[in-house]
Amino acid sequence: MLSRTADHLFWMARYTERAENTARMLDVNVQTSMLPQSAEDAEKGWRAMLGISELQSAFDRKYGILSAKDVVDFMVRDPDNPSSICACLTGARENARAVRGTLTTEVWETQNATWLDMSKRIDSGLLERDPSQFFEWVKYRSHLSRGVTLGTMLKDEAVHFIRLGTFLERADNTARILDVKFHGATGKRHNNEISQRDFYYWAALLRSVSGFEIYRKVYRDVITPERVAELLMLRGDMPRSLLACMDEVVNNLKEVRNDVSSETERVAGKLHAELGFGRIEEILSTGLHDTLTEFLERINELGNRISRDFLVPLAA
């Protein structure tokens, strides 16, 4: 496969996944902002979300004073934000258009219809009337894109590069959400139990990664931050966990390996093994923030390696 074709497929998937994850982050922030809290705590929550996406400075340059409405607008449709949901869905569609002949008709039509419908929904005022409904639509279109891809495309290199893009992006976003949300919790407990506010906080976080029902099924007990971290980092059967994402990255790398990718496979395999044999007690004693910061650095380096070995090299 031509590296340029692989590059378009890889980024089509990353942009689609990024749009979904941004919708998930915004949705959980909208939910948690409805909990009883001070104006200062509410602002910290929104600033933390901007920090997840490394967009704090860009937002401050444009808006100055923070408001929830401006953050949502900036993260959804601001033309000056290349990571906004609208920009990501547009980027996914443009990458799909560039490799139209590699995709099935169903995959192309799904990407194109998403882009067309997005403009209609934005213009209709849905975001202002019911932001959660808009975010659910974004998630649904991402689910549909993945399902149509797996249901209609030949399981060849094209699908493997799509999967690589999806799970690298998902791993990055899960780590960012977990890190910021751990810092955002009050952490105050009585008799080793979290407060009622924190219960709703962690429940909203779990729902943002489609993990609330999974948590109940796995642990059958009250929600605790330590178990949330374990679920989202070390459970290979949790679809959005770091370990599950690295399972997919390692497996798809094996399918597209070439003469120069052995070191990239080794780096991915090492990170995968550390998660597979990790224990949440050790991670928490070392420091969750430090562990997740290191993971983000390593997943970013892995993405750069994949670009260098297989795709169009990133501009220096």
Side-chain angles (χ1 to χ4, degrees), residues 47-282:
R47 288 198 177 278
M49 202 211 64
L50 288 168
I52 290 175
S53 305
E54 300 179 1
L55 292 169
Q56 180 70 69
S57 58
F59 177 88
D60 287 341
R61 281 196 302 270
K62 179 160 188 177
Y63 292 94
I65 299 174
L66 184 143
S67 72
K69 178 182 178 299
D70 286 340
V71 174
V72 171
D73 192 72
F74 181 69
M75 295 295 287
V76 172
R77 60 185 174 189
D78 194 313
D80 295 329
N81 177 13
S83 295
S84 69
I85 289 175
C86 288
C88 287
L89 293 180
T90 299
R93 187 257 188 182
E94 290 305 304
N95 277 280
R97 186 172 62 86
V99 288
R100 172 68 185 84
T102 305
L103 304 174
T104 60
T105 299
E106 291 89 345
V107 173
W108 160 247
E109 288 182 347
T110 298
Q111 291 287 353
N112 195 45
T114 298
W115 178 72
L116 292 170
D117 198 18
M118 172 188 71
S119 299
K120 294 177 183 176
R121 288 174 181 269
I122 291 292
D123 293 342
S124 73
L126 176 62
L127 184 63
E128 290 78 11
R129 292 195 312 274
D130 191 347
S132 288
Q133 185 180 341
F134 177 80
F135 300 143
E136 283 299 320
W137 173 82
V138 175
K139 289 189 281 183
Y140 168 74
R141 297 304 299 186
S142 179
H143 297 327
L144 183 61
S145 176
R146 282 194 301 275
V148 169
T149 299
L150 292 177
T152 67
M153 287 190 65
L154 185 69
K155 303 299 187 293
D156 61 2
E157 285 187 330
V159 166
H160 296 311
F161 280 113
I162 289 171
R163 301 288 281 176
L164 274 173
T166 295
F167 288 100
L168 275 174
E169 187 68 31
R170 184 176 296 181
D172 180 275
N173 279 272
T174 296
R176 290 177 187 275
I177 290 173
L178 185 58
D179 187 25
V180 172
K181 291 306 177 183
F182 247 82
H183 276 64
T186 63
K188 297 177 181 178
R189 303 194 197 185
H190 299 282
N191 298 323
N192 208 34
E193 293 185 0
I194 61 175
S195 67
Q196 185 178 24
R197 179 187 180 278
D198 270 2
F199 170 81
Y200 289 112
Y201 185 97
W202 291 112
L205 168 61
L206 286 169
R207 288 192 174 95
S208 77
V209 291
S210 300
F212 184 76
E213 291 83 2
I214 293 174
Y215 184 98
R216 291 301 197 195
K217 187 173 184 178
V218 170
Y219 295 105
R220 301 178 183 275
D221 203 350
V222 297
I223 299 174
T224 67
E226 295 80 6
R227 286 173 177 167
V228 171
E230 181 180 58
L231 182 70
L232 297 187
M233 294 179 73
L234 306 179
R235 294 282 309 202
D237 49 359
M238 164 59 183
R240 305 191 75 85
S241 74
L242 302 186
L243 178 56
C245 291
M246 288 308 302
D247 283 342
E248 293 284 348
V249 170
V250 167
N251 290 337
N252 283 282
L253 269 177
K254 289 178 182 177
E255 297 295 332
V256 299
R257 62 167 51 126
N258 60 26
D259 295 338
V260 298
S261 64
S262 59
E263 180 62 16
T264 297
E265 285 190 68
R266 188 193 70 81
V267 169
K270 183 179 179 182
L271 183 54
H272 176 246
E274 289 175 9
L275 290 168
F277 292 99
R279 293 289 179 270
I280 195 61
E281 297 82 9
E282 296 174 358

